[in-house]
């Protein structure tokens, strides 16, 4: 009877659908085999003991059950739609009330920050602010900002990475972030291996006697301590093309190479010299390549690093946290030959000893010392483990707080480093102040903004890279973009924009809308790719984060005193109108930050990759026509080489933005 009632109930639910069931019997068979299962199928015609008339009546009842089920489903769908409409209309009502009355937010006083999470904004304030309202508010704050005073407060005689003075500067930045009422402020400690200057000397030998001696005041970090001598060959800027021309005309094995600074980083010059089997590298600045504050003069020996990579070279690929044990290893990018910088005066003195000093004007000529002279290079730098601090301040986003726009600036430098580090740090602090004030006045960024003050940037973006290596999985998926402020102002005649293609259209739109008279007259140039010395380089190459780095500079060339002891506030004031250029730089970078955190849809252009891929395909097609059948395998390898980076780069950016 229970089985009949169950069948009747199911029939009522499904109506005319024939009822088919399976009966399992585990009764042992007569042959003793209990593993067999008896299966019987029953359909609607097998009614058992049930009269046929009753079965037909129940089928009619099943029709009524089917109609009842349909009615219930329609009722559920109708209730869902009504609830959805109520929620949507209430949300639109809040947005509409917030944007009405010309979308002017009501001012409010800052509330206390509790547990680093309350941004002090009244909950009754509007959740959305029009861009046409936000931008004038931000620009008015720029006009009221005393950038010169901020730069002077951050200027110190020494700010070497890991030193006591640099730690004091880190505390100053931390205190400034805290005083602004940011949602969270913290320090990130790393114990890294840097290198200190001990003693270096370049000697001009005439036979066994020392004809001249040069004693530089700076050094190139991560150069091995060594003493080598040999003939001297002039290598122009030390690029691959320069060395290709030389190796076809002279054997560079065991020779010292004299190169000019600029065009490419020090580390790349040394790498190219190593590939040519040179014994050592001497780098000097040529005054004709640089811009001076007043008139041309001598340039001190500049500081740099020779690590062909970024981060701590003795913990490659993993972060240098305290008490973390790693197997002994070192980066393959560390140089194996010594390298040293000289002043422009000493470099010209060596050039005067070449067989034909005028040959440096001819890029196709080989310039080297005659048989009369040899050069001895002696480097004695020492490695040192130091504690560095990265300082962070966060304005929490309202809609997507776990997605970030990171803004960073290098804090350390050799000497005062006003152009290299002080200006960027000042802009970082002032941008944090202005945007935090906007947040207190009603602006709610959709995504979080992270303000980062890096340490050990002079040694190859060590602080930024170690942070990336420590939290790479999260940052790869959560970081929307990185904006670099290092050495942002080196002149006032042109603007060099190094950026991911995704950001081209957004930046160009911002530049077109800016009414700043200084920004209007700037000649802007966009370029894809970053120098290895740029802190944006590890963000882009290691994790595919869209990045941008701005450089205001003179058309003649970079700032002559960058990376030298003469990078002082007095010289920087002679180069540019400090307050005016800082306002222009803050206006552009600030609007990039606000655009990335204001718009509901990220203003990143994925369609630009269509052009990039088409240009690559067109290039490959041209090369394919020149390849013979016998070179087919070589062509495939070349195809892989020139496309793998671009495809990987595209995949990384699209993957982490879409996650």
């Amino acid at each position: 009877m229970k089985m009949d009632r169950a069948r009747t109930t199911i029939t009522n639910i499904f109506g005319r659908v024939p009822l088919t069931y399976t009966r399992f019997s585990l009764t042992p068979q007569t042959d003793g085999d209990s593993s067999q299962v008896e299966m019987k199928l029953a359909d609607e015609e097998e009614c058992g003991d049930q009269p046929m008339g009753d079965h037909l009546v129940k089928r009619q009842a099943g029709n009524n059950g089917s109609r009842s089920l349909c009615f219930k489903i329609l009722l559920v769908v109708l209730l869902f739609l009504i609830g959805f409409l109520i929620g949507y209309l209430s949300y639109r009502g809040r947005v509409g009330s917030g944007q009405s009355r010309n979308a002017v937010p009501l001012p409010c006083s800052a509330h206390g920050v509790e547990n680093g999470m309350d941004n002090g904004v009244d909950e009754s304030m509007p959740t959305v602010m029009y861009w046409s309202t936000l931008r004038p508010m931000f620009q008015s704050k720029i006009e009221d900002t005393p950038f010169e005073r901020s730069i002077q407060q951050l200027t110190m005689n020494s700010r070497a990475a890991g030193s006591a003075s640099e730690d004091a500067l880190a505390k100053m930045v931390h205190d400034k972030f805290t005083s602004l009422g940011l949602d969270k402020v913290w320090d990130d400690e790393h114990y890294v291996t840097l290198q200190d200057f001990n003693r270096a000397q370049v000697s001009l030998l005439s036979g066994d006697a020392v004809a001249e001696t040069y004693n530089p005041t700076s050094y190139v970090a991560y150069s091995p301590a060594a003493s080598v001598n040999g003939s001297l060959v002039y290598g122009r800027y030390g690029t691959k093309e320069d060395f290709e021309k030389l190796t076809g005309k002279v054997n560079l094995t065991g020779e010292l190479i004299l190169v000019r600074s600029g065009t490419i980083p020090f580390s790349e010059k040394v790498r190219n010299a190593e590939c040519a089997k040179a014994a050592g590298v001497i780098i000097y600045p040529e005054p004709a390549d640089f811009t001076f504050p007043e008139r041309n003069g001598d340039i001190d020996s500049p500081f740099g690093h020779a690590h062909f990579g970024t981060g701590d070279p003795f913990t490659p690929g993993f972060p240098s946290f305290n008490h973390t044990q790693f197997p002994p290893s070192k980066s393959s990018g560390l140089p194996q030959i010594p390298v040293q910088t000289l002043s422009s005066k000493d470099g010209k003195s060596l050039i005067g000893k070449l067989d034909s000093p005028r040959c440096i004007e001819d890029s196709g000529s080989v310039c080297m010392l005659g048989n009369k002279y040899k050069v001895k290079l002696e480097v004695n730098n020492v490695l040192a483990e130091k504690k560095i601090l990265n300082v962070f301040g966060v304005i929490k986003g309202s809609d997507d707080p776990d997605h970030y726009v990171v803004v960073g600036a290098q804090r350390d430098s050799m000497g005062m480093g006003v152009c290299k580090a002080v200006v960027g740090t000042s802009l970082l602090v002032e941008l944090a102040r202005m945007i935090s004030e906007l947040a207190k006045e009603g602006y709610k960024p959709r995504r979080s903004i992270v303000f980062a003050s890096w340490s050990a940037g002079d040694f190859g973006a060590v602080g930024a890279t170690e942070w990336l290596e420590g939290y790479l999985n999260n940052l790869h998926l959560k970081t929307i973009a990185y904006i670099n402020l290092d050495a942002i102002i080196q002149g006032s005649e042109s603007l060099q924009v190094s950026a991911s293609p995704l950001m081209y259209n957004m930046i160009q739109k911002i530049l077109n809308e800016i009414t700043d008279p200084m920004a209007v007259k700037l000649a802007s140039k966009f370029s894809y790719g970053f120098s290895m010395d740029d802190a944006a380089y590890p963000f882009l190459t290691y994790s595919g984060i869209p990045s941008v780095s701005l450089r205001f500079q003179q058309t003649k060339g970079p700032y002559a005193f960058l990376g030298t002891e003469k990078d002082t506030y007095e010289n920087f004031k002679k180069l540019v109108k400090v307050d005016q250029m800082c306002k222009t730089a803050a206006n552009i970078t600030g609007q990039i930050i606000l655009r990335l955190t204001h718009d509901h849809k990220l203003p990143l252009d994925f369609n630009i990759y269509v052009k990039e891929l088409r240009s690559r395909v067109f290039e490959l097609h041209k090369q394919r026509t020149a390849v013979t059948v016998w070179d087919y395998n070589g062509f495939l390898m070349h195809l892989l080489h020139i496309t793998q980076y671009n495809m990987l780069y595209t995949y990384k950016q699209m993957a982490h933005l879409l996650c």
Side-chain angles (χ1 to χ4, degrees):
M1 295 297 294
K2 291 182 179 179
M3 188 63 185
D4 293 338
R5 286 196 295 271
R7 292 179 60 192
T8 303
T9 302
I10 295 174
T11 303
N12 290 336
I13 295 175
F14 291 95
R16 296 181 180 274
V17 179
L19 178 64
T20 302
Y21 66 92
T22 304
R23 182 183 300 143
F24 293 87
S25 175
L26 297 178
T27 305
Q29 305 299 315
T30 56
D31 57 358
D33 187 2
S34 61
S35 62
Q36 296 183 5
V37 178
E38 179 185 3
M39 302 180 64
K40 293 184 178 181
L41 300 178
D43 53 24
E44 62 179 353
E45 295 178 357
E46 181 185 347
C47 300
D49 298 331
Q50 182 180 6
M52 182 61 67
D54 294 343
H55 180 67
L56 293 176
V57 171
K58 289 178 181 179
R59 288 184 62 180
Q60 292 177 358
N63 294 337
N64 295 330
S66 177
R67 286 192 293 272
S68 176
L69 178 62
C70 292
F71 176 76
K72 291 178 181 178
I73 293 175
L74 289 174
L75 181 61
V76 170
V77 172
L78 181 61
L79 290 175
F80 172 78
L81 291 176
I82 292 173
F84 176 79
L85 289 174
I86 292 174
Y88 175 76
L89 292 175
S90 64
Y91 171 77
R92 292 290 296 175
R94 289 197 302 270
V95 173
S97 63
Q99 291 181 341
S100 61
R101 303 178 187 89
N102 296 325
V104 178
L106 298 175
C108 70
S109 59
H111 301 283
V113 178
E114 182 178 355
N115 297 327
M117 299 302 292
D118 183 11
N119 61 4
V121 180
D122 191 349
E123 291 297 329
S124 64
M125 303 197 75
T127 57
V128 177
M129 182 183 292
Y130 283 144
W131 177 253
S132 59
T133 302
L134 178 61
R135 187 176 64 178
M137 291 174 61
F138 175 68
Q139 291 175 332
S140 67
K141 293 186 178 298
I142 292 177
E143 292 301 320
D144 297 335
T145 301
F147 284 101
E148 287 193 67
R149 187 177 66 186
S150 177
I151 292 174
Q152 291 172 348
Q153 290 175 349
L154 294 170
T155 300
M156 293 184 174
N157 290 330
S158 176
R159 52 204 305 129
S163 65
S165 59
E166 203 253 346
D167 286 347
L169 185 59
K171 184 179 183 304
M172 186 187 301
V173 174
H174 185 284
D175 292 343
K176 283 183 177 291
F177 282 165
T178 303
S179 67
L180 296 176
L182 301 186
D183 293 328
K184 188 173 183 181
V185 180
W186 77 96
D187 297 339
D188 202 9
E189 279 188 4
H190 294 279
Y191 288 78
V192 298
T193 302
L194 306 179
Q195 197 175 53
D196 290 334
F197 181 56
N198 185 10
R199 184 179 62 85
Q201 191 174 75
V202 177
S203 304
L204 185 66
L205 306 178
S206 179
D208 295 332
V210 177
E212 289 187 39
T213 301
Y214 309 102
N215 297 299
T217 57
S218 189
Y219 69 109
V220 179
Y222 300 123
S223 167
S227 178
V228 296
N229 58 5
S231 184
L232 187 69
V233 180
Y234 177 69
R236 301 192 79 245
Y237 294 100
T239 63
K240 284 186 178 181
E241 293 76 12
D242 292 332
F243 276 99
E244 287 173 358
K245 293 177 181 178
L246 285 175
T247 53
K249 299 177 180 179
V250 63
N251 184 9
L252 299 179
T253 303
E255 307 290 8
L256 295 174
I257 310 297
L258 177 66
V259 297
R260 297 155 73 156
S261 60
T263 304
I264 59 175
F266 287 1
S267 57
E268 194 170 345
K269 298 176 190 288
V270 178
R271 188 76 163 189
N272 294 336
E274 273 193 279
C275 294
K277 300 181 180 179
V281 179
I282 300 173
I283 304 173
Y284 82 100
E286 176 59 50
D289 298 334
F290 295 92
T291 297
F292 287 80
E294 292 181 313
R295 60 183 182 276
N296 287 11
D298 293 331
I299 306 175
D300 294 339
S301 54
F303 173 83
H305 72 91
H307 176 214
F308 192 69
T310 63
D312 184 353
F314 293 92
T315 58
F318 40 86
S320 302
F321 289 126
N322 190 21
H323 305 305
T324 306
Q325 299 297 320
F326 296 109
S329 61
K330 63 180 182 179
S331 170
S332 60
L334 284 172
Q336 303 300 313
I337 60 176
V339 54
Q340 178 60 47
T341 55
L342 291 178
S343 66
S344 59
K345 180 180 178 181
D346 293 341
K348 286 186 175 182
S349 177
L350 284 176
I351 288 177
K353 303 298 189 297
L354 299 176
D355 278 345
S356 176
R358 289 189 175 182
C359 70
I360 65 172
E361 300 173 2
D362 183 5
S363 61
S365 302
V366 176
C367 307
M368 58 188 304
L369 290 176
N371 297 327
K372 181 180 178 181
Y373 295 110
K374 296 287 184 182
V375 171
K376 180 181 180 181
L377 171 61
E378 185 179 359
V379 178
N380 297 282
N381 301 337
V382 291
L383 295 173
E385 184 178 282
K386 298 185 179 182
K387 181 186 77 171
I388 63 171
L389 294 173
N390 294 327
V391 183
F392 300 92
V394 175
I395 297 176
K396 188 179 179 183
S398 59
D399 293 354
D400 288 322
D402 58 344
H403 286 80
Y404 338 106
V405 173
V406 183
V407 191
Q410 170 183 330
R411 191 178 61 249
D412 68 293
S413 68
M414 290 294 171
M416 288 190 181
V418 171
C419 176
K420 192 167 192 179
V422 178
V423 172
T425 303
S426 175
L427 284 172
L428 180 76
V429 172
E430 294 302 328
L431 284 169
R433 179 189 61 80
M434 290 184 284
I435 297 177
S436 66
E437 289 179 358
L438 289 175
K440 294 171 184 176
E441 294 170 5
Y443 171 58
K444 292 185 178 181
R446 296 182 185 275
R447 303 161 192 93
S448 297
I449 307 172
V450 180
F451 299 95
S453 176
W454 310 118
S455 182
D458 258 3
F459 292 82
V462 172
T465 304
E466 296 306 311
W467 185 63
L468 272 173
E469 291 176 343
Y471 310 100
L472 187 60
N473 289 338
N474 286 334
L475 294 174
H476 164 70
L477 296 174
K478 304 293 186 180
T479 306
I480 301 299
Y482 177 70
I483 302 166
N484 183 38
L485 302 177
D486 295 344
I488 188 172
I489 301 176
Q490 302 181 35
S492 58
E493 294 178 353
S494 64
L495 173 60
Q496 175 72 38
V497 181
S498 298
S500 303
L502 286 172
M503 306 176 77
Y504 282 179
N505 290 341
M506 177 192 67
I507 296 173
Q508 188 62 64
K509 183 178 180 180
I510 290 173
L511 293 175
N512 293 338
E513 294 176 350
I514 287 180
T515 57
D516 186 325
M518 180 58 67
V520 169
K521 75 174 187 178
L522 288 172
S524 303
K525 179 181 179 182
F526 285 77
S527 67
Y528 167 60
F530 297 87
S531 165
M532 196 175 291
D533 284 345
D534 197 318
Y537 178 85
F539 280 88
L540 178 66
T541 56
Y542 294 173
S543 55
I545 297 172
S547 305
V548 58
S549 187
L550 306 176
R551 294 285 189 277
F552 297 90
Q553 58 189 17
Q554 303 297 98
T555 54
K556 183 180 179 181
Y559 182 41
F561 297 149
L562 194 69
T564 71
E565 294 290 340
K566 292 183 179 179
D567 186 8
T568 63
Y569 183 66
E570 288 71 22
N571 284 327
F572 186 68
K573 285 195 302 182
K574 298 174 184 177
L575 178 69
V576 296
K577 295 179 179 179
V578 178
D579 198 62
Q580 185 178 19
M581 283 308 303
C582 285
K583 289 179 178 179
T584 300
N587 197 355
I588 297 175
T589 55
Q591 289 200 43
I592 293 174
I593 298 169
L594 293 176
R595 269 296 185 189
L596 291 170
T597 57
H598 171 272
D599 297 354
H600 179 72
K601 179 182 178 182
L602 281 171
L604 302 178
D605 184 12
F606 290 98
N607 293 327
I608 199 166
Y609 282 116
V610 175
K611 299 178 182 178
E612 292 289 334
L613 292 175
R614 281 178 180 173
S615 64
R616 298 294 177 182
V617 170
F618 182 70
E619 178 184 348
L620 292 174
H621 180 72
K622 289 194 300 184
Q623 295 186 26
R624 175 179 175 274
T625 58
V627 175
T628 63
V629 177
W630 303 105
D631 294 326
Y632 183 70
N633 291 333
F635 170 73
L636 291 180
M637 294 302 295
H638 183 64
L639 169 65
L640 177 63
H641 174 72
I642 65 177
T643 58
Q644 62 181 353
Y645 173 77
N646 295 283
M647 297 301 293
L648 179 61
Y649 163 74
T650 304
Y651 165 75
K652 281 183 175 181
Q653 291 202 44
M654 298 186 70
H656 99 274
L657 286 172
L658 294 175
C659 285

